[in-house]
Amino acid sequence: MVQDLVGTMGKPGSYRLSPGAKNGRIMKTPVKIMAPCEDGISLADPRAATSPTCMRILRFLSQILSIALPMAFIKRVYPLQLPACKLFQAHSKRCTASSACTLPNPVFRLRLPPGNRRTARFGRRACVPDNVVHSDSMKPNPAPLFPSSTYEEWKAAAESLLKGAPFDKVMLTQTPEGITRQPIYLKESLDPQGPAATLPGADGYLRGARPDGYRVKPWEIAQELPYGDSTEFNQALLSDLSRGQDAVSVTPDLATLAGLDPDSAPTGDVAACGLSLASLADLKRAFRGVLPDAVSFHFQSGAGGLAIESLFLAWLAGKSVDATKTGGSFNFDPLAILAGSGKLPTSLEQCYDEMAAAVSFNSSALPGFSTVGVSALPYHCAGASAVQELGALLATGLTYLRALGERGIGINEAAKQVRFTLSIGPDFFMEIAKLRAIRPLWARVVRELGGSEEAAVLRTHARTGLYNKTRHDPYVNMLRTTTEALSGVIGGVDSLAVGAFDECLGLPDEFSRRIARNTQVILQEECELTAVIDPAGGSWFIESLTAEVSRKSWDFFREIEKQGGIAKALESGFV
């Protein structure tokens, strides 16, 4: 609906515009100015037609209202300061300060939100001369609506309302991470040299791995398709890619993850919980109609990474596509298989040898791919807290870097090949803090090993949690996955998978896949989350929580290292 543009003079020297546009131009409408002009006549008064000052004001306002303004300006209400005494009185014979201004065409300043101030040009003048007072200096400082109070005063008032109940018991909240949540957070609780001094794309990457956030490149919509048959997988993939999904996420079946051939795999592991990839024909059927250089490919390879990459390279060779133009990840992660199932099809040393060979090859042949994966899903599904997840992730990543270093892979080359996968739980703010904390923690690990700043940049994938989903009322899972996806985006993930609301009941159908996929589409297209860089940055609560999660996660990481590393900690039952 198009509204007329109406300006109201609330007090001498101020003019406010309300939204209204037609065909991208401000509409000419009557202007209602209630404050008196310098000669004491209101523009709403019929005598305004005979007032020289008011006539000049009206003529000038009719000119500026006919100027086309950008739609971004029209959509929001910006106060437009008119320094009337400095600008208009000089043009009136009744002016009492005629020496204050000698402008032939007045120039005004738009009072934009803080951090986005700019000079608005009306007429032919491009700048405000020195003799014109800035609008901020003309605006009186209003008295605060509420008097400021100290924390002690607030606590005393809160205790009086508790009617004798213990303040600590009622108002403080203990989390599974061992963190005490306060009822209120203050600016003084933050380290002035901590989060407030950091920038996105720098300073440990707390505020994001890229300085532009999602403004240039949003996160990838990498929905999982847990179909075991390659033909069924292909049908669902082509349907979803044409409806908003922009990355291919392949979760192999249990047999492929364990590096086993279907003929030698245990009964029930083939085509279970993912795609069965036993031959090149399976991969060709799964990817039929997919352009290799148009989307990213992410494989959760587990202990079978080398075999899966070999199949993918053979498929690429038949597509006549430059492999260096493709991107994605293979996610070699044998320790995740060990943590989830308690065993591996081969030794860890053999897995590390295969990982090192793939890293060395991919650095030049597939520079757009990450080879090594570090997954927190086994720990999250087992009930680990956010602190325990991050500690296990850091210990696993460090183990892989050490193994690659022992096989001649430098720290910079190895660290660039690592991609973390996290699971998002129901605690909204805790999950945001967890996703923000892992980036500076990993950067610290890489720097300690002598890595460069570029190598310290972490790539993260996240998917919504599993343990908190219900089978008895699956539609409630829509709400849970929505809040989890939102916390993942605010936390700054590079790619995201939202689980179908009925994934606990079996394979998702077209409806449940559409709901999960469109959850991300709405977050990207309708929630303006791609327009804000690190929306959680500066929050006293989230910054304090992030600092606590970081500190405790690092302590737990050191405890794992005291056990001899993540592999020893898994064997001994410490993790």
Side-chain angles (χ1 to χ4, degrees), residues 169-253:
K169 183 177 181 180
V170 177
M171 303 298 291
L172 303 184
T173 305
Q174 298 293 331
T175 71
E177 292 76 15
I179 297 173
T180 301
R181 283 181 176 165
Q182 301 296 324
I184 187 173
Y185 285 81
L186 304 175
K187 182 179 181 180
E188 291 74 19
S189 61
L190 296 182
D191 180 5
Q193 302 301 321
T198 62
L199 293 173
D203 305 315
Y205 312 103
L206 169 67
R207 305 196 62 189
R210 299 195 301 266
D212 55 2
Y214 295 136
R215 293 183 62 86
V216 176
K217 181 183 178 182
W219 71 92
E220 291 181 336
I221 301 177
Q223 291 296 109
E224 297 174 359
L225 301 173
Y227 299 102
D229 181 70
S230 56
T231 302
E232 187 178 7
F233 178 92
N234 177 257
Q235 293 174 351
L237 176 61
L238 295 180
S239 175
D240 290 0
L241 286 176
S242 64
R243 291 170 173 82
Q245 183 167 333
D246 55 11
V248 179
S249 181
V250 180
T251 302
D253 63 352

Side-chain angles (χ1 to χ4, degrees), residues 63 74 178 239 266 291 319 338 450 455 473 480 500 529 540:
Q63 293 176 2
I74 296 169
S239 175
L291 300 177
K319 291 294 181 178
L338 181 63
D473 191 4
R480 296 188 174 112
L529 290 173
W540 301 336

Side-chain angles (χ1 to χ4, degrees), residues 14 151 263 287 352 450 486 494 496:
S14 66
Y151 175 79
D263 296 335
F287 289 167
Y352 294 156
L486 179 58
D494 296 297
L496 179 64

Side-chain angles (χ1 to χ4, degrees), residues 52-369:
T53 303
C54 294
M55 286 298 295
R56 288 182 174 87
I57 296 175
L58 286 174
R59 278 199 301 270
F60 184 77
L61 291 179
S62 67
Q63 293 176 2
I64 68 171
L65 291 179
S66 66
I67 294 176
L69 296 180
M71 290 303 296
F73 174 82
I74 296 169
K75 288 180 180 179
R76 298 179 63 180
V77 180
Y78 291 137
L80 178 63
Q81 299 290 59
L82 300 185
C85 178
K86 294 292 183 182
L87 294 176
F88 290 113
Q89 289 180 352
H91 302 282
S92 173
K93 295 180 180 179
R94 305 183 185 186
C95 179
T96 59
S98 59
S99 62
C101 179
T102 58
L103 293 179
N105 289 313
V107 179
F108 306 98
R109 282 188 183 271
L110 291 177
R111 293 198 68 255
L112 301 181
N116 191 25
R117 298 190 182 275
R118 59 183 174 88
T119 300
R121 189 192 321 186
F122 297 108
R124 300 179 181 176
R125 299 299 294 259
C127 61
V128 178
D130 295 337
N131 62 338
V132 177
V133 180
H134 191 279
S135 58
D136 287 347
S137 63
M138 299 181 63
K139 183 178 179 181
N141 294 323
L145 295 178
F146 302 99
S148 60
S149 302
T150 64
Y151 175 79
E152 290 71 20
E153 293 173 336
W154 174 87
K155 183 177 180 180
E159 289 177 335
S160 65
L161 296 176
L162 293 178
K163 298 180 180 180
F167 179 87
D168 292 348
K169 183 177 181 180
V170 177
M171 303 298 291
L172 303 184
T173 305
Q174 298 293 331
T175 71
E177 292 76 15
I179 297 173
T180 301
R181 283 181 176 165
Q182 301 296 324
I184 187 173
Y185 285 81
L186 304 175
K187 182 179 181 180
E188 291 74 19
S189 61
L190 296 182
D191 180 5
Q193 302 301 321
T198 62
L199 293 173
D203 305 315
Y205 312 103
L206 169 67
R207 305 196 62 189
R210 299 195 301 266
D212 55 2
Y214 295 136
R215 293 183 62 86
V216 176
K217 181 183 178 182
W219 71 92
E220 291 181 336
I221 301 177
Q223 291 296 109
E224 297 174 359
L225 301 173
Y227 299 102
D229 181 70
S230 56
T231 302
E232 187 178 7
F233 178 92
N234 177 257
Q235 293 174 351
L237 176 61
L238 295 180
S239 175
D240 290 0
L241 286 176
S242 64
R243 291 170 173 82
Q245 183 167 333
D246 55 11
V248 179
S249 181
V250 180
T251 302
D253 63 352
L254 297 179
T256 306
L257 285 175
L260 301 176
D261 188 83
D263 296 335
S264 58
T267 303
D269 284 1
V270 180
C273 304
L275 179 64
S276 177
L277 294 175
S279 64
L280 179 59
D282 291 335
L283 196 64
K284 287 183 176 180
R285 284 193 298 268
F287 289 167
R288 181 184 294 118
V290 179
L291 300 177
D293 54 351
V295 294
S296 300
F297 296 85
H298 299 287
F299 298 87
Q300 302 298 327
S301 300
L306 199 60
I308 292 176
E309 181 175 351
S310 300
L311 293 176
F312 181 75
L313 289 173
W315 176 74
L316 272 183
K319 291 294 181 178
S320 300
V321 175
D322 185 1
T324 61
K325 303 298 182 182
T326 61
S329 60
F330 292 110
N331 298 293
F332 285 54
D333 194 4
L335 287 174
I337 302 301
L338 181 63
S341 63
K343 58 183 180 179
L344 287 172
T346 184
S347 66
L348 269 176
E349 294 300 317
Q350 177 65 31
C351 291
Y352 294 156
D353 291 340
E354 294 180 1
M355 182 186 295
V359 168
S360 179
F361 174 81
N362 293 341
S363 297
S364 57
L366 294 172
F369 274 81

